Amino acid sequence: PETSIGLIGLGTMGAALALNIAEKGFPIAVWNRTGDVTRRFHAAAGPLAERIVPTESLAELVAAIAPPRAIILMVPAGQAVDDQIAALAPLLSPEDLVIDAGNANFHDTNRRAASGLPMRFLGMGVSGGEEGARHGPAIMGGGARADWDRIAPVMEAIAARAEDGTPCATWMGEAGAGHFVKTVHNGIEYADMQMIAETYGLMRDGLGMASPAIGETFAAWNEGVLRSYLIEISAAVARAGDPATGAPMLDVILDTAGQKGTGRWTAIEAQHLATPVPVIEAAVMARNVSARIDERRAGEARFGSGPQRLAVELASLEAALIAGKILCYAQGFAMIEIAGRAFGWHLDLPAIARVWRAGCIIRSAMLNDMATALAEDSARNLVLAPFFAERLQSAVPALRRIVAQSVLHGHALPALATGLGWFDLMRTSRGTANMIQAQRDFFGAHGFDRLDGRDDHDGPWKMGGESSTVTAAR
Ligand code: NDP
């Protein structure tokens, strides 16, 4: 069949995306480094095989696509993407478009976009895992608007649809903007998962609940404010039994979490931008601690047997998670707002909340309300939007009780507790950085501003400095 689209890399994501594209009526040419994979993919494509053109070489792939071409790369982020671009370069014309749909670091996408490639180039974040790629992912495009417009009909056709029917495929901004938004999405995903795991831990170790009962609780929460894909699958995994032993599945899974790095990238980038995302940082930290299982075992042997039983209401736990989630998303959206200004992208925050409403891992009912609140004023922190301020006012007392009880009984809640800590900082107009400023002025003559506005920026330790310095030195 006549096609203008190609795809390179028939792994988990590429194969699913190619089938999705073919299913929506767009013929597509495909190529994979290992030829066997291409042949097996085509043979297993069923009735969709007639819209798929399998090819045996890059040259054959390019020849099979009518210009101007659009070629999607679904290969591991990093060197493989640079290698594929280099291999395609001599085969393509300047109007052909290469779309990196992997989980690229957005700095790499910025670099590629600025490197004078001999073809058009888009960086596109795709969320939703294999299932999403096959039946409807959330798609975050980045690059020249005109290039996005060229492939938007295909992306909108294959993307998930929000409840109001809007396709979750949106142009985010120039260059690496799409991959940046996907990165923050993954950071929020880490945080969301960590907070859910923390409530799971409180139910398991604090309340002594068995896994199926925990599953019932998550399922009930999924009917309320917390309705989301991650709560839904948490209910499913907690209810599942191990076919091999009959034990609850969760009870036989080793408690060390893997990661591919996108959560870490979010935390690192937030530090570069000096924007606080402590809940995401705590989630990355918790995964790192989880991997050190030998040290944790030694720690338990030396310092006692971990968390103790406690009494908390399940309703308080639900409210605590609602509060934690709002705080985490408020941090994530604030980071996006800052980054948009820092990188000159004019990111549209309500559009980002909308594109996350379906198809992606963090899809949730709450994103609807977030889109509405951000549309009122996207520069205002989400915690100050009236809708969420009210919700926080009713949920934070529960978060505070849960965190306090957990601390007293030795439960680690790194994400929920740090969310609360950030919130308390955010509602304190007279903080403690006056002490930091005084210290900095004392040892480094950095100066400070005064509350009373007087034009006097140094402390008395400068004027009669000797005595205070000597006292400190003793
Ligand atoms: P897989 O490992 O399943 O597939 C990788 C594909 O890339 C294979 O087709 C492989 O070909 C090909 N490939 C690997 N190295 C090279 C290379 N050096 N040159 C050319 N082709 C190469 O990965 P996924 O499909 O899971 O991931 C692909 C991208 O999508 C990654 O960037 C990933 O981070 C991202 N992603 C993954 C998600 C997921 O849930 N899995 C979700 C969202 C994004 P071969 O058969 O020859 O090995």
Side-chain angles (χ1 to χ4, degrees):
E2 176 82 351
T3 174
S4 58
I5 310 166
L7 184 141
I8 294 175
L10 292 167
T12 307
M13 291 295 284
L17 211 60
L19 292 174
N20 188 353
I21 291 171
E23 187 177 71
K24 298 301 177 307
F26 304 97
I28 181 168
V30 297
W31 176 75
N32 192 71
R33 182 181 59 175
T34 311
D36 258 4
V37 173
T38 313
R39 291 185 283 275
R40 268 186 274 123
F41 168 75
H42 191 244
L48 293 177
E50 62 186 42
R51 288 199 203 120
I52 296 171
V53 185
T55 64
E56 295 286 333
S57 68
L58 268 190
E60 203 190 310
L61 175 84
V62 172
I65 310 169
R69 305 172 179 89
I71 298 180
I72 300 168
L73 296 181
M74 246 319 178
V75 299
Q79 195 57 47
V81 173
D82 286 316
D83 292 348
Q84 283 306 318
I85 292 173
L88 282 167
L91 304 172
L92 297 183
S93 48
E95 283 314 301
D96 291 336
L97 174 61
V98 169
I99 304 157
D100 175 15
N103 267 338
N105 185 310
F106 78 95
H107 288 298
D108 285 342
T109 308
N110 281 344
R111 168 178 58 77
R112 289 173 187 132
S115 69
L117 293 174
M119 77 285 281
R120 313 294 309 163
F121 181 72
L122 288 174
M124 191 171 84
V126 177
S127 175
E130 182 181 11
E131 179 68 15
R134 178 64 185 86
H135 297 293
I139 298 175
M140 292 146 262
R145 178 75 209 226
D147 292 330
W148 169 260
D149 289 343
R150 253 174 71 185
I151 53 131
V154 179
M155 296 308 150
E156 288 170 3
I158 66 167
R161 275 163 203 282
E163 277 171 10
D164 63 9
T166 323
C168 292
T170 307
W171 179 75
M172 295 289 149
E174 303 289 325
H179 278 136
F180 172 79
V181 173
K182 171 72 201 302
T183 299
V184 178
H185 162 285
N186 284 29
I188 292 174
E189 173 187 312
Y190 274 49
D192 235 339
M193 291 167 71
Q194 174 64 25
M195 289 188 289
I196 293 170
E198 290 175 8
T199 61
Y200 156 73
L202 276 177
M203 287 189 266
R204 186 189 67 186
D205 304 327
L207 301 176
M209 288 167 65
S211 203
I214 296 173
E216 297 311 316
T217 307
F218 284 136
W221 291 358
N222 198 42
E223 301 298 314
V225 172
L226 287 170
R227 189 161 69 84
S228 61
Y229 173 70
L230 281 170
I231 292 284
E232 181 190 327
I233 66 166
S234 302
V237 299
R239 284 162 151 172
D242 173 22
T245 62
M249 197 66 233
L250 274 178
D251 293 355
V252 302
I253 298 176
L254 187 68
D255 55 322
T256 63
Q259 53 182 316
K260 290 196 284 188
T262 41
R264 182 188 312 145
W265 292 348
T266 310
I268 291 170
E269 202 51 46
Q271 291 288 352
H272 284 306
L273 293 165
T275 175
V277 293
V279 182
I280 294 172
E281 288 167 345
V284 176
M285 178 278 285
R287 285 204 195 186
N288 293 338
V289 173
S290 81
R292 307 171 89 88
I293 189 155
D294 292 336
E295 278 179 33
R296 289 192 286 120
R297 284 175 179 155
E300 178 166 325
R302 177 65 183 80
F303 297 110
S305 58
Q308 309 299 310
R309 286 295 168 89
L310 48 70
V312 294
E313 303 282 329
L314 287 177
S316 299
L317 207 50
E318 181 185 13
L321 191 52
I322 291 170
K325 180 161 175 157
I326 296 169
L327 298 171
C328 162
Y329 280 68
Q331 294 163 12
F333 279 113
M335 173 174 177
I336 292 173
E337 211 268 327
I338 300 273
R341 279 192 271 138
F343 296 113
W345 285 331
H346 311 103
L347 298 172
D348 179 344
L349 270 67
I352 292 169
R354 284 197 298 272
V355 88
W356 289 346
R357 287 179 304 170
C360 67
I361 303 294
I362 65 170
R363 61 186 183 259
S364 73
M366 213 187 271
L367 279 163
N368 263 323
D369 300 320
M370 289 181 180
T372 306
L374 290 165
E376 289 162 12
D377 178 357
S378 63
R380 172 188 62 195
N381 193 290
L382 206 55
V383 301
L384 295 173
F387 180 87
F388 286 103
E390 230 166 85
R391 194 155 265 180
L392 279 173
Q393 246 164 347
S394 65
V396 162
L399 176 61
R400 198 175 295 288
R401 278 197 306 282
I402 295 288
V403 169
Q405 285 295 315
S406 300
V407 170
L408 286 172
H409 292 85
H411 292 258
L413 300 185
L416 286 169
T418 202
L420 178 62
W422 173 78
F423 177 72
D424 281 336
L425 287 174
M426 285 289 284
R427 57 179 200 94
T428 302
S429 65
R430 176 65 172 155
T432 57
N434 50 326
M435 179 52 133
I436 307 289
Q437 285 299 78
Q439 291 165 335
R440 293 177 71 235
D441 187 56
F442 193 109
F443 65 66
H446 294 290
F448 47 73
D449 290 327
R450 297 174 59 105
L451 273 174
D452 58 16
R454 285 175 61 137
D455 192 23
D456 177 358
H457 302 283
D458 297 300
W461 41 84
K462 282 285 156 299
M463 297 176 303
E466 188 80 7
S467 62
S468 42
T469 308
V470 169
T471 312
R474 269 199 208 111

